[in-house]
Amino acid sequence: MNISVVKSLDNTYDTMVLGVFENELLSTTEKILQDSINYLVNEEEFKGKFNQIKSIILPTKEKPNKFIFIGLGHKDKFNDEKLRKSVAKVVNEGNKIKSKFMVLEPMGINEGISIGNATRIISEIPILVNYRFDKYQEEKKETTVSEIKILCKNEKDWDIMVSACREGSTLARNTVYARELVNEPANVLLPTELANRAKEAGEKYGFDVEIYDEEKIKELGMEAYMQVAKASENPPRLIVMKYFGDNENKEDILGIAGKGLTYDSGGLCIKSKNGMLNMRADMGGAAALIGAMSSISEFKIKANVVGVIAACENLISGKGYRTGDIIGSMAGKTIFVGSTDAEGRLTLIDAVHYLIEKENATKVVDIATLTGAAGAALGNAASPVLSNDDKLYNNMRKASEISGEKIWRMPCFEEYKEQIKSNVADLTNSGGHPGVMTAGMFIREFVQDKPWVHIDIAATSWADKKYYCGIEGGTGVGVRLLYHFVKNMRK
Ligand code: BES
Ligand code: MN
Ligand code: ZN
């Protein structure tokens, strides 16, 4: 998909998109277009209600011969989210009427959306809408829309629009990259392959990637991580990604840990057949992190970021850890294994400790498909977040407002801490209630005094069915969120 900003148009495009606010009649000097609008309003009751869409195809070879009218709803209720949905609807309609080359004007810029935000959104959504996962199928799922031009009417907006277009389309491509990683089956995306893909991204976007094998992981003392990994014949890989873009504040280092379970069977606490069905997606945090590192590096954001993925599989074998075991961790704390299926937090605590001790992280974020309880709490509408620092949390909230990936802060009440205490070890991983908080607060035990934000994407990183800007499968959630978080961190 090609998306660009243009100052003027020639007649090579086939489809013109027109946004219409509710009860705001469009008028144009072009007779055929005005006739079409009158027809739509009178015969089809097109009133510009939000999400209303009508297309007209003219029986002529002259271009453009396709017109898509998208209802934007009431002017004073228009916002970023409605723009995202409208653009998605237009692209889906374009595919339906076999549009190839479409022209759009930024919508809603007189209704409080900045020209930059509007352009970024229009450059982002079409790429997300047209993503398909059909590499393993002979019959490809066709999408026709392949070129979009965004019209710049005001010379003074040009620079802003061009850079917003580059930002939006790059973020979308990196979100699609994350989706692809999530969708890859676990027999293809082994921990070693996830490491290869991170390396590839690093080479393409210019960040440093180091990959450590079992021997090095053991040498580092990452005991909790190794306990999860050891049942599998496929070796774990510790993936360390580094981007240093702020030389003036060398000591200020953000560490991000992404959960990278390339498969989660539950271990001896084996999951049900259905519970396991999509567990190749248990590396959604890792995928988000790789996509975000790529974007941060591409736009040379002024920040220092180290990303860590403790990649492994949670399988079953005679070599595996058991329920009831007492295991160690890199930080030295002992853990009673209440469930071999609460494996994510075991890999994350070693990743977080590594970030603080070996990479000198001064702030910590972790992003993980951690608990089924995340979906019970907020559904797939938002990711629950925990934090020990209002300022860092507020920056995440702002990033979420920009990216449109909703988050919701949950409390770290001390009452919940009782649930992760053990009679025989320093902590237990068995969870308890409420699941989102006990899992997050387990990780909090390892962040020392560092400002920390924890994002549970268990319910948001996978779509059970087609949704407005994507197909069933990985959503790539977190790529845009983490990027905007890092971009705005110093402000
Ligand atoms: N990877 C799962 C969480 C998950 C569940 C992600 C559903 C996506 C969809 C995690 O490792 C897990 O198994 N969590 C358990 C924790 C429990 C054993 C304390 C859960 O949520 O049931
Ligand atoms: Mn699990
Ligand atoms: Zn898991």
Side-chain angles (χ1 to χ4, degrees):
M1 171 97 67
N2 274 317
I3 306 187
S4 55
V5 182
V6 292
K7 285 180 190 166
S8 61
L9 295 167
D10 50 26
N11 278 2
T12 53
Y13 64 103
D14 52 67
T15 305
M16 182 77 190
V17 177
L18 297 139
V20 186
F21 284 104
E22 190 159 350
N23 295 326
E24 302 249 339
L25 273 186
L26 261 180
S27 63
T28 161
T29 47
E30 249 179 275
K31 182 170 181 309
I32 184 128
L33 205 50
Q34 189 62 57
D35 287 348
S36 305
I37 292 165
N38 293 345
Y39 167 80
L40 279 181
V41 172
N42 296 330
E43 307 288 321
E44 304 271 323
E45 299 207 330
F46 183 84
K47 296 211 174 71
K49 279 197 191 321
F50 178 64
N51 237 352
Q52 219 183 354
I53 195 156
K54 289 283 171 198
S55 47
I56 289 180
I57 306 171
L58 302 178
T60 157
K61 283 214 167 84
E62 226 171 281
K63 287 179 183 173
N65 62 352
K66 293 171 179 160
F67 299 87
I68 298 177
F69 296 84
I70 175 77
L72 303 174
H74 279 291
K75 257 189 169 166
D76 45 6
K77 288 192 184 134
F78 201 64
N79 56 24
D80 288 23
E81 187 164 314
K82 287 197 165 140
L83 177 57
R84 279 189 201 94
K85 299 226 158 111
S86 302
V87 175
K89 188 118 187 164
V90 162
V91 177
N92 279 317
E93 179 75 9
N95 286 326
K96 218 179 280 168
I97 63 170
K98 299 201 162 33
S99 298
K100 290 195 182 81
F101 183 167
M102 199 176 249
V103 170
L104 292 166
E105 257 177 55
M107 309 151 189
I109 47 170
N110 297 321
E111 283 64 45
I113 303 179
S114 72
I115 185 77
N117 282 354
T119 308
R120 177 170 44 75
I121 290 169
I122 296 171
S123 310
E124 200 168 89
I125 297 295
I127 294 172
L128 299 178
V129 168
N130 270 10
Y131 168 69
R132 298 292 180 270
F133 182 65
D134 55 12
K135 63 193 279 195
Y136 296 104
Q137 287 174 309
E138 200 178 338
E139 201 178 308
K140 302 296 176 201
K141 295 171 174 136
E142 205 180 319
T143 51
T144 59
V145 179
S146 57
E147 175 112 25
I148 291 179
K149 298 247 187 266
I150 308 168
L151 196 54
C152 171
K153 283 189 154 171
N154 234 324
E155 182 66 35
K156 69 169 183 19
D157 294 334
W158 176 255
D159 290 346
I160 296 173
M161 287 182 75
V162 168
S163 72
C165 177
R166 211 184 121 221
E167 189 179 49
S169 55
T170 304
L171 284 171
R173 287 193 185 99
N174 290 333
T175 300
V176 160
Y177 191 76
R179 287 180 178 180
E180 188 79 4
L181 291 176
V182 171
N183 289 335
E184 281 287 15
N187 60 326
V188 172
L189 200 87
L190 299 169
T192 45
E193 180 58 17
L194 182 59
N196 291 341
R197 304 271 176 114
K199 189 108 203 158
E200 268 172 30
E203 274 157 19
K204 182 167 172 203
Y205 289 100
F207 59 92
D208 183 54
V209 181
E210 285 157 45
I211 294 161
Y212 299 121
D213 64 9
E214 259 168 306
E215 226 168 281
K216 176 77 184 186
I217 297 166
K218 283 181 191 155
E219 195 187 304
L220 283 164
M222 302 179 92
E223 276 186 52
Y225 169 26
M226 272 315 297
Q227 289 291 334
V228 175
K230 72 181 187 180
S232 176
E233 297 283 337
N234 303 308
R237 286 291 183 268
L238 180 69
I239 306 166
V240 180
M241 300 171 280
K242 294 182 190 172
Y243 167 79
F244 286 90
D246 186 0
N247 275 323
E248 285 160 40
N249 301 285
K250 278 201 178 75
E251 303 75 44
D252 199 358
I253 298 171
L254 171 70
I256 311 180
K259 177 173 171 182
L261 265 289
T262 59
Y263 194 72
D264 179 12
S265 72
L268 283 180
C269 303
I270 192 166
K271 288 181 183 294
S272 67
K273 165 179 157 283
N274 277 336
M276 230 183 279
L277 192 60
N278 297 325
M279 277 305 140
R280 68 174 182 284
D282 210 15
M283 32 55 70
L289 180 53
I290 294 170
M293 291 297 297
S294 301
S295 314
I296 292 161
S297 185
E298 166 79 3
F299 292 106
K300 302 198 164 48
I301 301 298
K302 199 170 177 230
N304 302 315
V305 188
V306 179
V308 165
I309 300 164
C312 65
E313 299 186 286
N314 187 20
L315 291 188
I316 301 178
S317 80
K319 296 188 294 178
Y321 74 149
R322 313 160 189 81
T323 315
D325 282 359
I326 298 174
I327 64 172
S329 63
M330 189 180 181
K333 289 191 211 287
T334 59
I335 298 149
F336 177 80
V337 179
S339 171
T340 61
D341 197 12
E343 83 298 335
R345 66 199 77 182
L346 298 176
T347 64
L348 286 165
I349 56 165
D350 278 355
V352 160
H353 189 77
Y354 171 90
L355 278 167
I356 296 171
E357 294 300 325
K358 302 289 177 189
E359 303 294 349
N360 306 310
T362 49
K363 297 180 190 116
V364 177
V365 167
D366 74 85
I367 183 162
T369 48
L370 205 61
T371 67
L378 301 174
N380 59 11
S383 309
V385 166
L386 298 186
S387 179
N388 60 2
D389 187 90
D390 290 348
K391 194 167 163 242
L392 207 63
Y393 167 74
N394 275 329
N395 190 45
M396 192 61 82
R397 189 181 50 75
K398 278 183 203 137
S400 136
E401 279 163 14
I402 298 169
S403 85
E405 298 158 294
K406 294 195 185 81
I407 61 168
W408 197 260
R409 190 175 185 174
M410 309 294 264
C412 288
F413 292 140
E414 284 310 305
E415 282 88 337
Y416 306 146
K417 215 179 137 177
E418 295 304 312
Q419 305 282 325
I420 56 174
K421 285 185 178 159
S422 163
N423 294 327
V424 292
D426 296 329
L427 293 166
T428 173
N429 78 334
S430 68
H433 293 283
V436 171
M437 282 72 115
T438 49
M441 286 171 70
F442 184 87
I443 295 165
R444 190 184 70 161
E445 291 299 306
F446 294 82
V447 299
Q448 303 173 23
D449 57 346
K450 309 294 179 234
W452 159 79
V453 176
H454 160 80
I455 313 165
D456 192 335
I457 56 168
T460 48
S461 78
W462 182 270
D464 286 324
K465 54 181 197 304
K466 189 178 184 302
Y467 63 111
Y468 85 94
C469 69
I471 50 168
E472 176 190 333
T475 62
V477 74
V479 173
R480 290 171 287 163
L481 179 66
L482 291 174
Y483 167 80
H484 290 296
F485 173 79
V486 173
K487 184 180 170 189
N488 294 310
M489 204 162 47
R490 294 212 66 79
K491 283 186 193 148

